[in-house]
Amino acid sequence: MRRYLTTETLTIAAIVLGIAAGVWWPEAMLSFKWAGELFLMLLKMLIVPLVFASVFVAIVGLGSGEALRNLGLKAFGYYFLTTALAVTVGLVVVNLVEPATSHHLQAVGTVSPPKEQSLSSLLLSFVPSNLFEALSEGRIVQILLFVILFAAAALHLEAARRESLQLFFESVNDAMGVIAEWVIKLTPLGVFSLIGYVVAKEGLQTLWDLKSYVLAVLLALFIHALGVLPALAVTLGRFNPLDYFLKVREAVLVAFSTASSSATLPISIEVAAEKGGVKKESAGFVLPLGATVNMDGTALYEAIAVMFIANSYGVELGFSQQIVIFLTATFASIGAAGIPGAGLVMMTMILSAVGLPLEAIGLIAAVDRILDMFRTAINVWGDLLAAKILARYIKSEQ
Ligand code: ASP
C-alpha cells in the first residue's frame, strides 16, 4: 500500500478530488485558497536563488565560452523549432475545426483590454538597469541575462577564483534543491487547494459555452504533447518519452495546477536531475531559460485564440495574415512571462498585428485560466524534453 502512496499518485488524486470539491463545495474551496497560496509562495521563494545558482553552475560547468555559445545556440534553435511546430499544429487544427461563437459578442467591452505590447518595449524589458531591483521583483528574464553574463565572465577568471565562485554557487544550488524536496512533499495539498479554487471560482459551465474553442485548443495541445514532442525525443534525443514522462510527471502536474512555468521551475530542475537522469549542465541551463522562452503551449494557444476571435467577428484571415499570426505568436510566446495569464496579455500583440480590436480578449477571458493550466503543462513538458534532448548534444570541456 505504502508503495502507491507516492507524492505523484497523491498529486493525481488531489487533482481529481480538487475538481470534485470545487464542484460540490465551492464555498469551502474558496476559503481553502490559503493552502494553495502557501504552496505557491514557497515555490516562488525558491525561484530567484535557484535560477541564479543553477544557471551559474551550469554555465561554469560547461567550462568555456565556446561550450556556452554552442549550447545556447542549440537551445535557441531547438526552442524555435518546437515553437514553430506548435504554432503550425495550432493553425492546422483551427483551420480544420473552425471554432466560432456569436454567443458572447455582447459581453465584449465589459473587460478592459490589457495594455498593448510593442516589440521594442518587449526587447528593452529584457535588460536590467538595476540587478537588485530585478532580483527583488523576480524578473526572471532580466536575472537570466545578468547571470549568463556573470557566469561567462567567471569563465575568464583564473582557475582558483573561478572555482571558489563555483563552489559557493554549487552549495547554494544544492541547498535550494534540498528545500525544493521539502516543498515537493506539500504538492498534493497545494494542488488540491489550487484546483478546487479555480473550479469553484470559474465553474465548469463556461467551458461548455465555448466548447468548440476549448476543444480545438485541447486537441492541438494533445497532438503537440503526445505526437510532435515525443517524436523529437525519439529522433533527436534517442530516449523513450513515456518512460521519461513517468519519471518527471510531478513537474507537469504542478505546472497544470499552478498555471505558472516559473513557479514550477524549482520542481522541474529537481525532478529532471534527480529522477529524469538529465545532466546538471543541461537541467540548470535549459530549464530556467526554457521556463520563460520556450512556451509551445502558449504559442499554439495564441494562434488558435486569435483565429477564433477573427471567426467570431466574421473576419476572414487569409494565408498571409496567418503568416503574421505565425510570427507574432512565436514572439509573443517567447516574451510571455511564466506566470498565470501572461499569454492573454501577450495576445494584444497579435491582435493589433492583424487589426482585430483588443477588447475581443473579453471573448475568451472566461476560460483563460482553465486553458492556461493545460498550456502551462505543455510548456513545462516541452522544457523537460528540451533539457533531456539537448543534454545529448552538450560539449562540456570539463
Ligand atoms: N501561464 C503560462 C506559463 O506560465 C504562460 C501563459 O499564460 O501562457 O507557462
Side-chain angles (χ1 to χ4, degrees):
M1 184 64 194
R2 271 196 89 80
R3 207 151 61 90
Y4 297 105
L5 287 181
T6 60
T7 318
E8 286 93 343
T9 45
L10 287 175
T11 305
I12 294 173
I15 291 180
V16 177
L17 292 175
I19 296 173
V23 171
W24 283 311
W25 301 292
E27 291 303 319
M29 289 317 288
L30 288 176
S31 52
F32 191 51
K33 185 182 171 208
W34 63 269
E37 273 186 350
L38 173 70
F39 178 61
L40 271 179
M41 284 161 81
L42 291 170
L43 286 174
K44 286 187 187 159
M45 174 183 83
L46 291 174
I47 298 173
V48 171
L50 196 62
V51 165
F52 207 106
S54 72
V55 175
F56 186 88
V57 169
I59 293 179
V60 174
L62 288 171
S64 75
E66 205 203 322
L68 169 62
R69 262 193 304 281
N70 200 297
L71 178 61
L73 283 177
K74 281 182 184 140
F76 274 97
Y78 178 85
Y79 294 155
F80 262 113
L81 170 74
T82 56
T83 307
L85 288 171
V87 183
T88 309
V89 170
L91 285 174
V92 169
V93 168
V94 79
N95 278 295
L96 292 176
V97 178
E98 292 191 343
T101 183
S102 51
H103 200 77
H104 280 244
L105 275 181
Q106 308 88 314
V108 171
T110 54
V111 175
S112 55
K115 223 170 94 247
E116 190 186 333
Q117 284 274 357
S118 76
L119 204 55
S120 57
S121 66
L122 183 67
L123 285 177
L124 285 179
S125 73
F126 292 166
V127 186
S129 54
N130 178 339
L131 173 66
F132 293 95
E133 198 176 290
L135 291 173
S136 71
E137 300 272 315
R139 297 189 196 137
I140 302 296
V141 181
Q142 297 190 348
I143 298 172
L144 279 175
L145 189 82
F146 179 84
V147 187
I148 291 173
L149 289 175
F150 181 37
L155 289 173
H156 284 85
L157 299 180
E158 64 186 54
R161 295 206 281 161
R162 186 188 63 231
E163 279 156 16
S164 64
L165 276 176
Q166 192 173 2
L167 187 65
F168 173 75
F169 282 111
E170 260 168 13
S171 313
V172 172
N173 197 22
D174 292 349
M176 292 306 122
V178 174
I179 304 183
E181 276 172 28
W182 294 337
V183 177
I184 287 176
K185 297 214 162 51
L186 294 177
T187 311
L189 183 70
V191 162
F192 173 72
S193 160
L194 287 168
I195 302 250
Y197 176 76
V198 170
V199 173
K201 187 159 162 277
E202 314 283 344
L204 296 176
Q205 180 59 34
T206 46
L207 284 180
W208 183 251
D209 291 344
L210 292 173
K211 55 185 172 309
S212 64
Y213 163 65
V214 169
L215 285 178
V217 173
L218 294 184
L219 176 67
L221 284 174
F222 281 116
I223 292 176
H224 190 68
L226 304 181
V228 177
L229 290 176
L232 293 176
V234 173
T235 51
L236 298 178
R238 305 224 178 275
F239 63 87
N240 181 334
L242 183 61
D243 270 358
Y244 182 58
F245 175 78
L246 293 176
K247 289 179 183 141
V248 298
R249 64 179 188 259
E250 184 74 21
V252 180
L253 295 175
V254 170
F256 179 77
S257 326
T258 59
S260 169
S261 304
S262 296
T264 312
L265 192 54
I267 299 189
S268 319
I269 295 180
E270 184 64 23
V271 295
E274 297 302 321
K275 296 188 180 167
V278 176
K279 273 190 212 156
K280 84 170 188 284
E281 286 84 1
S282 185
F285 181 76
V286 177
L287 288 172
L289 207 61
T292 53
V293 174
N294 185 36
M295 294 195 182
D296 293 1
T298 301
L300 171 164
Y301 160 80
E302 308 266 302
I304 296 187
V306 172
M307 291 293 288
F308 168 72
I309 288 172
N311 289 349
S312 304
Y313 273 75
V315 176
E316 186 80 34
L317 293 178
F319 186 70
S320 60
Q321 292 287 65
Q322 294 198 24
I323 297 285
V324 173
I325 295 185
F326 176 86
L327 293 173
T328 42
T330 303
F331 281 108
S333 75
I334 294 174
I339 54 173
L344 197 65
V345 177
M346 296 310 289
M347 202 178 296
T348 53
M349 211 167 98
I350 315 176
L351 288 174
S352 60
V354 291
L356 287 165
L358 302 189
E359 292 79 10
I361 282 194
L363 213 58
I364 50 170
V367 287
D368 185 67
R369 175 62 191 223
I370 304 222
L371 292 181
D372 198 359
M373 293 161 65
F374 285 96
R375 64 184 191 253
T376 308
I378 307 306
N379 289 344
V380 169
W381 172 226
D383 292 337
L384 289 162
L385 283 171
K388 178 98 175 163
I389 291 176
L390 289 165
R392 224 184 130 219
Y393 297 93
I394 287 183
K395 291 205 195 93
S396 175
E397 314 231 327
Q398 288 194 338

